[in-house]
Amino acid sequence: MRADDILNTLTKKELAVFKLRALYTASGYSRYKMSKFEEYDLYAKNKDFLPTEDIITFKDGQRLLALKPDVTLSIIKSCQDRLHGVSKLCYNESVYRPQNGGQFKEITQVGIECLGEVCESEVAEVIGLAGASLAGITDTYALEISSLDIISAMLDRLPLSYQGRKKMLECIADKSEGGIFDVARDEAILSDRLEPITALISIYGAPAEVRPSLLALKTEGAVGEAIDSFISLLDTLDGGEVGRHLFVDFSALGNMKYYNGVAFKGYIRGIPKCVLSGGQYDRLLARMRKNMRGVGFAFYLDELDMLPE
Amino acid sequence: MQTFINIALPKGRLGEKVYDMFERAGYECPSIKEPGRRLVFENAEVGVRYFWVKPSDVAIYVERGAADIGVCGKDILLEYAPDVYELLDLDIGKCHMAVAAKSDFVDNREKTLRVATKFDHIASRYYQAQGRDIDIIHLNGSIELAPLLGLSDVIVDIVETGATLRENNLCVVEKFQPISARLIANKASFKFTSDRIDKIKEALSALK
């Protein structure tokens, strides 16, 4: 049988796995294979990192094991505590999570993780590969990017309670300006102090388009530093292939207990939800006592089933 | 060729008010006012396609991408937490989420409070914040009957004028969440049609 005949029998998802694996290995990422099971304790300690608290568990002798609900935690766990240089890994794994609060589903994820002495160039490389992954499927894709450091620095300037901060982040993720004012009212924060946050959630567009709006939000201290660092990364990305598809959108968030730096999400026209999600997770690494930085993403291949024929 | 922006409208009185706002904002679709049982209406000239759906289903149509944008009550967003953008408070359909009980109700904190409601999550979160032990009784309609027949101690429901409560010898114990109609958008659709969705949002906002 000819190779072309074999390729013609593959589903979109199977073809995508081959394409992405070739892309990642050609970019210097080593394949990483892991067990389907993991000790439950790993997830119990990092529950908020997962999108769900529901995990399938079973006993193996005296050990309580779980069917893996996540890949990143397992990769970090297996890493040395300190890395010199950078370790670049790619994977193709199944994880098990309930969907829409209902039945458990096997979810196919392909992704990469870059760990160790990660600098702006590695972050840019990973975002570039996220774009190349989407480009391998279609040329009508969008990669949105946000800076958690800018959001975090802006929220630090408001006298928010723990709950208030959590609600404020939900409102930013929903682009809900009204919600931001409601939270501020409950937390007795004057509405004129909200201007930078409401301006931030209204920012949406290509890096060059939003640059003036971002610069207008610059202030002394952490906010200004975070904006400078974000603009520097955007400048690097804007010159690359991914630049044409890149949109700055501060509604792309991750749990701030674990994530920092940039977060990004990928969308394909015709699929009603995000198909790729990633970001920097130095805080998660610090919580797991790993002396290193990390950035990566996962591509949710099952969502490709929704792509119109 | 310009594609349509699909808009899910809530059936009923609120939906008619909402359509009226869209029409005044420049997104008219005259066929929607013609009598009949059609559910989908298009105006290719302005690039919009409307469809009527059950109010509680609007968020599902938008979250799943069958509609690019839609209008639904804040109560639905709080209860089901759909993964959508909440772009604008339209300032119509204003009411409150409230606790109501019989006029002679006295809260006994030594007992579990029985709460009848359609809004299980909203009620749970409200009482959780107070550290109150409750027993949720989920009902799909005629919530006001529950305390009258001894099925529950209180109800958590939407209160607009309070007339239904008064007619049934019930009164508001506390209004705890303002509710109004919100313009919502599918997150993925927004990435590819943000210019057009933003224009609609701005035009609706100008009418407020």
Side-chain angles (χ1 to χ4, degrees):
Chain A
M1 191 180 266
R2 290 183 313 137
D4 278 358
D5 293 333
I6 297 170
L7 284 176
N8 286 337
T9 65
L10 298 179
T11 64
K12 259 184 257 171
K13 207 157 72 181
E14 287 165 335
L15 198 57
V17 170
F18 288 120
K19 275 186 181 177
L20 294 174
R21 190 189 291 165
L23 171 68
Y24 304 149
T25 49
S27 307
Y29 286 73
S30 317
R31 285 177 63 184
Y32 188 96
K33 180 75 192 151
M34 59 192 88
S35 157
K36 277 195 183 330
F37 318 126
E38 185 67 77
E39 293 212 6
Y40 174 70
D41 195 41
L42 175 67
Y43 307 116
K45 282 181 185 158
N46 299 286
K47 264 185 182 167
D48 300 351
F49 180 73
L50 305 170
T52 174
E53 283 193 13
D54 295 328
I55 297 169
I56 300 173
T57 57
F58 59 96
K59 278 191 83 176
D60 178 32
Q62 291 302 308
R63 296 188 309 160
L64 184 61
L65 295 181
L67 263 178
K68 262 193 333 250
D70 175 77
V71 175
T72 307
L73 284 171
S74 299
I75 291 184
I76 295 173
K77 187 187 156 199
S78 67
C79 268
Q80 296 162 6
D81 291 348
R82 178 188 291 270
L83 274 179
H84 293 292
V86 178
S87 172
K88 297 179 176 185
L89 305 166
C90 65
Y91 61 82
N92 167 25
E93 296 286 338
S94 292
V95 295
Y96 303 86
R97 295 176 189 159
Q99 292 295 287
N100 302 318
Q103 289 183 319
F104 274 88
K105 202 179 158 203
E106 181 177 12
I107 300 163
T108 314
Q109 276 189 11
V110 174
I112 61 174
E113 308 291 350
C114 184
L115 294 152
E117 293 169 334
V118 170
C119 299
E120 188 188 285
S121 59
E122 281 80 23
V123 174
E125 178 186 284
V126 168
I127 296 170
L129 279 170
S133 305
L134 293 160
I137 309 297
T138 173
D139 57 357
T140 51
Y141 75 88
L143 189 66
E144 65 174 23
I145 182 169
S146 82
S147 161
L148 304 187
D149 289 346
I150 297 177
I151 295 168
S152 206
M154 280 190 179
L155 293 184
D156 286 346
R157 298 173 70 165
L158 299 173
L160 286 162
S161 65
Y162 174 77
Q163 278 302 326
R165 190 178 173 104
K166 204 173 148 197
K167 283 183 190 165
M168 199 64 101
L169 286 168
E170 285 168 9
C171 295
I172 294 169
D174 291 344
K175 291 184 183 288
S176 172
E177 193 178 314
I180 287 173
F181 282 101
D182 289 346
V183 176
R185 192 192 55 232
D186 293 346
E187 300 270 318
I189 296 171
L190 293 174
S191 56
D192 56 355
R193 295 188 67 181
L194 302 174
E195 216 171 282
I197 294 284
T198 53
L200 198 70
I201 66 164
S202 69
I203 289 176
Y204 182 80
E209 280 171 31
V210 304
R211 192 189 179 95
S213 314
L214 273 174
L215 289 171
L217 290 172
K218 262 187 82 170
T219 52
E220 292 286 315
V223 172
E225 284 165 22
I227 289 176
D228 281 340
S229 154
F230 189 48
I231 287 179
S232 160
L233 176 67
L234 291 177
D235 286 346
T236 307
L237 294 168
D238 214 10
E241 188 56 35
V242 70
R244 288 189 300 120
H245 299 268
L246 204 61
F247 293 87
V248 175
D249 186 334
F250 288 92
S251 70
L253 291 180
N255 187 329
M256 302 267 195
K257 249 165 85 179
Y258 303 99
Y259 292 101
N260 60 297
V262 291
F264 49 92
K265 287 186 176 178
Y267 294 86
I268 287 175
R269 189 187 276 274
I271 298 180
K273 55 209 280 202
C274 139
V275 296
L276 180 150
S277 173
Q280 288 174 261
Y281 47 83
D282 302 347
R283 289 187 186 137
L284 171 66
L285 288 159
R287 283 172 68 95
M288 292 176 76
R289 299 179 194 284
K290 303 283 182 180
N291 189 7
M292 63 182 86
R293 304 181 67 195
V295 59
F297 65 79
F299 196 130
Y300 310 115
L301 290 178
D302 297 320
E303 308 301 351
L304 295 181
D305 290 344
M306 284 190 268
L307 203 56
E309 291 300 329
Chain B
M1 192 185 71
Q2 181 175 252
T3 52
F4 285 100
I5 292 285
N6 292 307
I7 305 170
L9 296 177
K11 266 187 206 165
R13 219 159 27 127
L14 175 66
E16 285 163 21
K17 276 189 193 171
V18 171
Y19 170 71
D20 181 54
M21 280 187 85
F22 275 88
E23 188 178 67
R24 285 188 289 131
Y27 296 92
E28 72 281 1
C29 182
S31 61
I32 208 167
K33 291 187 170 168
E34 291 166 6
R37 288 170 181 263
R38 272 173 64 193
L39 294 170
V40 182
F41 307 89
E42 292 176 0
N43 183 349
E45 231 169 86
V46 286
V48 290
R49 179 186 289 130
Y50 292 100
F51 38 89
W52 296 114
V53 300
K54 197 176 165 184
S56 55
D57 288 343
V58 168
I60 298 170
Y61 278 80
V62 174
E63 184 181 30
R64 296 293 184 124
D68 300 303
I69 58 174
V71 172
C72 71
K74 180 71 179 174
D75 51 321
I76 301 298
L77 300 178
L78 290 169
E79 181 62 18
Y80 300 106
D83 190 19
V84 295
Y85 288 137
E86 184 188 327
L87 298 179
L88 184 66
D89 183 348
L90 295 176
D91 276 338
I92 57 171
K94 285 184 166 186
C95 50
H96 279 87
M97 191 60 70
V99 179
K102 281 167 75 175
S103 315
D104 58 357
F105 166 73
V106 179
D107 190 5
N108 181 353
R109 304 260 326 177
E110 287 183 347
K111 288 168 69 177
T112 299
L113 188 71
R114 295 171 306 155
V115 183
T117 186
K118 259 193 289 194
F119 302 98
D120 300 14
H121 289 112
I122 295 174
S124 298
R125 274 200 302 269
Y126 170 71
Y127 283 108
Q128 219 166 40
Q130 301 178 7
R132 186 77 164 97
D133 188 27
I134 62 163
D135 177 15
I136 293 267
I137 301 160
H138 180 86
L139 295 175
N140 295 306
S142 302
I143 316 291
E144 296 85 356
L145 256 180
L148 299 179
L149 301 180
L151 177 63
S152 75
D153 301 310
V154 298
I155 63 171
V156 167
D157 203 8
I158 287 172
V159 175
E160 200 174 341
T161 62
T164 315
L165 293 178
R166 281 192 297 276
E167 279 178 32
N168 289 290
N169 196 29
L170 299 174
C171 63
V172 171
V173 176
E174 190 185 357
K175 288 179 178 174
F176 63 90
Q177 172 70 51
I179 304 288
S180 57
R182 310 293 165 108
L183 176 70
I184 60 173
N186 174 273
K187 289 189 171 179
S189 298
F190 186 85
K191 311 299 161 201
F192 301 102
T193 49
S194 63
D195 289 354
R196 294 170 69 195
I197 292 177
D198 267 340
K199 261 189 198 161
I200 294 174
K201 177 191 157 187
E202 294 309 321
L204 291 170
S205 184
L207 297 174
K208 284 176 39 174

